[in-house]
Amino acid sequence: MPQHAPTRNLRRRPGDRNFVIKGFDFHAEVFLVSGGLILLFVLFTLIFQEPAETAFGAVQSFIAGVMGWFLILAVSLFLIFTVCIALSKLGSVRLGGPDAKPEFPTFAWIAMLISAGMGIGLMFWSVAEPIYHFQGPPALLGAVEANTADAAQLAMGITFFHWGLHAWGIYALVGLSLAFFAYNWGLPLTIRSVFYPILGERIYGWPGNVVDILAVASTLFGLATSLGLGVQQVNAGLNFLFGLQIATPIQVGLIAIITGFATASVVSGLGNGVRRLSELNMILAAILMGFVLLVGPTLFILNSFVENLGYYAASLPTLSFWTESFSGTDWQNGWTVFYWGWWISWSPFVGIFIARVSKGRTVREFVIGVLLLPSMLTFLWMSTFGGTALNMELGESSGVISEAVAENVATALFVMLQQLPLTGITSFVGIVLVVVFFVTSSDSGSLVVDSLTSGGKLESPVPQRVFWAAMEGVVAAVLLLGGGLSALQTASITTGLPFALVLLVMCYSIYRGLSYEYRVVMEARKLKEAEMASEAIAR
């Protein structure tokens, strides 16, 4: 039995010690400290733009160079742990109790998982990343000549690795932990609750405050990275279609406009705004992917999808633990280490969001759903867009997309679509998709940060939601002003590294909690069976 297990007289109502002031309802320490730190960061970056840009680059290089090995190891351990939990007897535990039922249909559940998980990134990198690796393949599986068929296969394998099971393993760990402690133990839906088996009632004190403050910072900077990438791609698409200048001031203006849309959505809440936009995302994305699949190199895409899966599965052990120790290169610093930091920094946001929509599912169903379904759809998406681009590079359109990537990575998707029919329509749909992904990520993130800073309350005042939606846009704009892509990458890695330590402790905590729950459920089931047997004998 865990050292600490909740009893009804110890459970506290979410937000029971909040301050209620002029339309705000917040946990004082978490809200004020996290908000204050973020505002200080914004002011520092705006006042000292050039020193800030230099500092961002130095921080990224230091963390990636010194602690990259730790992130590589930790993320692989998270995936192994979640799979083992799902396959063990603990996988039969149901989130919400033995009689709980799912609140959302499976299609809506999957749609919200994908939209919240990595929507903007899929649009931004689906063409650009495979082309990057095709042009300069790293020597992680042996030397490969650039711009060849072998380089294309390696490029897709690496892309699958960065967007596949490892990323969703992080989300599954955090989402499962949060859902379990919220729905089975009646604790607030905040990161601090995950540590109840270790800390007990101390989660309501300063240790819990530190964890939630770190989660808020991690979420905001992780979201800002995605929003910054998204607005760069929107700007590139508008330049491609209408000749709008590509410039940071334009991108800041676009952030302001799209953040306004996100604010309107977040006011409407989870059931109306987020769910409907997530389903719209799925429909638009399916239409665009279906179009590229049909009018593009269809047979090549399908063949390469199957081959990419096999290559990824065969290479996964090597990819998972490769740290460039013998090659003497620093390729991983800008790729794998960045991605792992990015996914970890997103994990409080995505984890809380997944937990909110996953009540009623068993641990096994939850892990399989979160790991496999989004990963397979992501692989199909990457094979469709990345595979089409690589097919063009290996064929008559050689150099067209690679030159675009070298000049401005945000234009890669639109240059690829230019080689296909109905360019104007598909490019417009692409822009709309990025905008809607932007909105769903922003409003989902706002609801999550709001929950973290309000003591776990699921419903909070509208002005408070608006504040956090606006703050996400401000941080994204400031990062663009303070160094562009380099600043965005630094923000993710810097916040992801300390939170990786939190996730390692989380593994131990959720194991203890699930083990205790399993024993309680099994004992209750045996008792019920014994009572039924006794009644049958009595009759």
Side-chain angles (χ1 to χ4, degrees), residues 130-294:
I131 295 298
Y132 257 118
H133 304 323
F134 175 70
Q135 292 177 294
L140 75 168
L141 297 173
V144 174
E145 184 180 350
N147 303 316
T148 62
D150 288 340
Q153 185 175 62
L154 176 64
M156 290 306 302
I158 295 172
T159 304
F160 275 28
F161 173 56
H162 287 156
W163 293 85
L165 296 175
H166 281 73
W168 287 98
I170 298 169
Y171 297 157
L173 169 63
V174 179
L176 173 63
S177 302
L178 289 164
F180 172 76
F181 287 107
Y183 301 135
N184 294 69
W185 284 22
L187 297 170
L189 192 62
T190 60
I191 301 295
R192 70 174 72 209
S193 297
V194 173
F195 300 98
Y196 196 97
I198 300 171
L199 298 174
E201 291 296 296
R202 285 178 293 170
I203 65 168
Y204 300 111
W206 70 264
N209 294 339
V210 170
V211 170
D212 278 350
I213 289 168
L214 183 58
V216 171
S218 180
T219 300
L220 271 173
F221 285 109
L223 277 168
T225 300
S226 294
L227 302 186
L229 293 176
V231 81
Q232 286 180 340
Q233 194 167 34
V234 171
N235 191 184
L238 294 175
N239 172 264
F240 181 78
L241 286 179
F242 308 112
L244 182 67
Q245 179 185 6
I246 296 179
T248 301
I250 298 292
Q251 293 165 9
V252 171
L254 289 171
I255 286 177
I257 294 171
I258 303 174
T259 298
F261 295 151
T263 301
S265 177
V266 80
V267 168
S268 64
L270 180 65
N272 295 320
V274 179
R275 175 180 173 177
R276 291 176 181 175
L277 283 174
S278 297
E279 292 174 344
L280 174 62
N281 263 357
M282 287 286 288
I283 294 170
L284 287 177
I287 291 172
L288 183 60
M289 183 175 69
F291 174 82
V292 174
L293 181 61
L294 290 175

Side-chain angles (χ1 to χ4, degrees), residues 94-97 99-104 109 175 179-180 182-184 353-362 365-366:
R94 187 171 295 276
L95 301 175
D99 301 321
K101 302 295 181 183
E103 293 182 332
F104 294 96
W109 182 54
F180 172 76
Y183 301 135
N184 294 69
F353 185 76
I354 291 176
R356 288 189 66 174
V357 299
S358 299
K359 184 178 181 179
R361 303 186 184 275
T362 65
E365 180 186 6
F366 176 93

Side-chain angles (χ1 to χ4, degrees), residues 512-531:
R512 292 185 64 180
L514 285 172
S515 298
Y516 175 72
E517 186 80 5
Y518 179 78
R519 288 196 296 271
V520 169
V521 170
M522 290 302 296
E523 289 172 1
R525 184 177 299 172
K526 290 179 181 178
L527 180 61
K528 184 176 181 179
E529 290 174 353
E531 290 176 350

Side-chain angles (χ1 to χ4, degrees), residues 449-483:
V449 173
D450 200 33
S451 177
L452 286 169
T453 56
S454 61
K457 295 185 71 171
L458 299 183
E459 296 294 336
S460 54
V462 170
Q464 194 162 306
R465 300 186 203 174
V466 172
F467 171 81
W468 287 116
M471 187 62 71
E472 289 162 13
V474 168
V475 172
V478 167
L479 286 172
L480 286 177
L481 291 170

